[in-house]
Amino acid sequence: MRLIVAALMAVLALIPAPASAWGFYAHQQTARIAEANVTPEVRAKIRALLAREKDLGTPECPLTTLADAAVWADCVRGEGWRWGYTAAWHYRTAPICEAFNPRANCAGGNCVTAQITRAHRILADESLPAAVRLEALAFMVHFAGDVHMPLHSGDHEDRGGNDREADYGIVPGLNLHWIWDGPLAERAISDPADPVVRRYAPAERAELGGGAPDDWGRESWEIARRFVYPTAFDSEDVCAAPLPEKTALSQDDIARGVPIARRRVQQAGVRIADLLTSAFAPGPLVVEGDRRR
């Protein structure tokens, strides 16, 4: 048993501790889903922007594919002196023991939902320089993934689960946020017999897509409130008393979480495709509440 635990810990040690939702693999899969579900014309416009990568001046953070774009916002955070101001853009946590308030925790637009809308608006504006639009593309694709991870919206006075030590099955020493970022999400989307990266039928897209960033954040908050915390702490009412700082997810807990994590990745990918399609739509830019052209 000790050898099994040591081997699993060695594998997990190779996975970078996620600074933001889902780690690199799941974020990249959302981008690949999106790319598979846009038209060739939209893909061509994406490639044209990606060709301007050097204009951003981030050589340590590649941006040559849409999958690169999905992780670029996490990568540049390593240069805190330049990009530190974007840290609050990756989440919008709301207490699961209070009524959901879509207007809270976003002062000055510094939260994930507001930044998805902002980036989409910039990307859609063809009058702006290509480098400005490319940066917006990368932010939009990444943040649309972030908002679908439940613990970037739901919180129990623990920084979205970061302060709750949790074992993942027989693997000790992780935390609740990390588990939903990495091992659980990756397990959920790694079945070669049922790939998440594919062209989805119109009915599937209609079922997975829809809504706006605030709606996606509320969905994640509901999942955190109704499933993530109650399951992790074996309690139907996690708000009745303070939670312990440490818990463990059983194999059954993990198995029940897999389809939820998988669906969130699929939803993110389909919705990113919709954002890209609307941002690159031909014709004049349409801005809500603005009739000027």
Side-chain angles (χ1 to χ4, degrees), residues 146-205:
D146 274 351
V147 77
H148 282 81
M149 198 282 238
L151 292 174
H152 273 240
S153 290
D155 176 70
H156 199 311
E157 298 181 350
D158 56 10
R159 298 189 305 123
N162 275 293
D163 296 334
R164 306 283 181 185
E165 184 179 347
D167 297 345
Y168 180 69
I170 63 171
V171 181
L174 307 184
N175 66 58
L176 189 59
H177 191 105
W178 186 2
I179 286 171
W180 276 84
D181 265 0
L184 181 58
E186 293 186 14
R187 174 173 169 174
I189 58 175
S190 298
D191 183 358
D194 189 14
V196 294
V197 178
R198 56 183 172 81
R199 181 78 178 178
Y200 286 81
E204 291 179 292
R205 291 191 58 169

Side-chain angles (χ1 to χ4, degrees), residues 79-89 110 115 118 135 139:
E79 286 189 314
W81 63 272
R82 182 179 176 190
W83 300 98
Y85 67 94
T86 67
W89 294 1
N110 287 297
Q115 289 302 318
R118 172 182 174 271
E135 180 182 302
F139 278 136

Side-chain angles (χ1 to χ4, degrees), residues 2-20:
R2 285 196 297 270
L3 289 175
I4 294 173
V5 172
L8 287 170
M9 290 299 291
V11 171
L12 289 171
L14 298 176
I15 303 173
S20 190

